[in-house]
Amino acid sequence: MRTRIKICGLTRVEDVQAVVDAGADAIGFVFYPKSPRYVTPGQAAELIRAVPPFITCTGLFVNAMPEEVAATCKVVPISLIQLHGDETVEQSAAIAAAAGRQFMRVFRVKPDTQPSDLLEYEQLCRAASPLFTSLLLDTYVDAYGGAGKGFDWSLIPKDLAPRVVLSGGLSVHNATDAVVRVRPYAVDISSGVEASKGIKDARKIADFIAAVRAGDAMKESEAHHDEHPTKAAVPR
Ligand SMILES: O=C(O)c1ccccc1NCC(=O)[C@H](O)[C@H](O)COP(=O)(O)O
């Protein structure tokens, strides 16, 4: 299964074009005013005009009121919302219902997070709303996200990994390893493909996507080997 790729924090049409040209599956617009990647709903609506079909446009919110998210979704044709703040599971469900959109719920991983915490949280989200799609696992930082900081991937349960979006401090340097070791449904990145905050770098985007694809190729090769192990040499 090909690892899906989301590039987050786009602010310029040339960066949208670079992400589309590089073959990403999703793009993210940050509607959190304190972020250096913040765009207004009007700006995002203009940027989305450069997005062809079959690419998921995601709107990212931090502790926004349901009516604010709903109003943004009326102006910007985003198909998925990402709730990245301190919203409770119930508040997340209410926001998604008000917006009439599916949502990714972010779990911000702390040093003392346990594997069971992730499994239990996913179950809570799934029980709370039919609009829940997946957890996005990011590193707990004061700025809520977009900090370029990673977390310990070994705490991600193997049976959860195929349903999560892995985020937090990814780059061309660790993308292949992340895909092969964690085997997430998708990866998400912001800082690691930037020239500066909010300004993406087309070469870094292309190199990151190539590194993810290299990880996919290694997974395929391992799966093939497992299906067709080389016959052990029979001693003569
Ligand atoms: O990108 C931001 O500025 C941001 C601000 C506040 C909350 C979330 C934010 N980004 C959310 C994302 O989905 C980022 O891609 C994710 O946090 C990973 O960022 P990075 O570690 O820089 O790749």
Side-chain angles (χ1 to χ4, degrees):
M1 169 82 80
R2 181 172 66 82
T3 306
R4 282 8 184 226
I5 299 169
K6 171 179 169 263
I7 310 290
C8 196
L10 300 184
T11 63
R12 306 185 306 172
V13 67
E14 56 264 49
D15 295 342
V16 171
Q17 197 55 59
V19 168
V20 169
D21 292 348
D25 301 283
I27 60 179
F29 297 107
V30 177
F31 297 117
Y32 177 49
K34 291 181 181 173
S35 164
R37 304 173 181 101
Y38 172 68
V39 288
T40 66
Q43 289 168 331
E46 192 57 29
L47 289 169
I48 279 190
R49 295 179 64 176
V51 181
F54 316 130
I55 291 180
T56 302
C57 292
T58 308
L60 185 149
F61 299 87
V62 173
N63 301 331
M65 298 303 288
E67 50 273 17
E68 177 195 340
V69 178
T72 301
C73 291
K74 282 195 170 51
V75 173
V76 192
I78 48 180
S79 55
L80 181 65
I81 59 180
Q82 177 177 321
L83 301 176
H84 216 110
D86 307 304
E87 307 88 351
T88 66
V89 170
E90 292 71 23
Q91 287 168 336
S92 301
I95 289 168
R101 295 290 188 281
Q102 289 184 305
F103 71 100
M104 284 192 292
R105 179 58 247 173
V106 175
F107 187 112
R108 295 153 65 215
V109 178
K110 298 181 178 178
D112 62 350
T113 297
Q114 297 301 309
S116 56
D117 298 331
L118 298 177
L119 285 167
E120 286 160 17
Y121 193 69
E122 190 211 30
Q123 286 167 1
L124 279 175
C125 291
R126 206 165 291 287
S129 173
L131 294 172
F132 170 74
T133 59
S134 65
L135 292 185
L136 184 144
L137 306 183
D138 196 0
T139 310
Y140 188 98
V141 290
D142 290 342
Y144 286 101
K149 289 189 185 322
F151 65 90
D152 178 6
W153 298 335
S154 68
L155 64 82
I156 302 172
K158 290 236 175 302
D159 59 346
L160 176 66
R163 302 193 298 275
V164 301
V165 179
L166 177 63
S167 183
L170 295 181
S171 75
V172 65
H173 305 296
N174 62 14
T176 303
D177 193 29
V179 168
V180 173
R181 275 180 51 198
V182 178
R183 302 180 178 232
Y185 170 72
V187 291
D188 163 69
I189 187 172
S190 190
S191 308
V193 290
E194 289 185 328
S196 61
K197 290 222 185 275
I199 306 300
K200 303 308 184 189
D201 178 310
R203 169 49 52 203
K204 287 186 176 182
I205 292 167
D207 289 350
F208 174 76
I209 292 178
V212 173
R213 295 290 169 254
D216 286 339
M218 289 171 72
K219 287 196 304 183
E220 284 297 306
S221 170
E222 284 175 12
H224 181 76
H225 177 77
D226 292 348
E227 283 170 27
H228 309 284
T230 49
K231 287 188 178 54
V234 177
R236 290 183 185 284

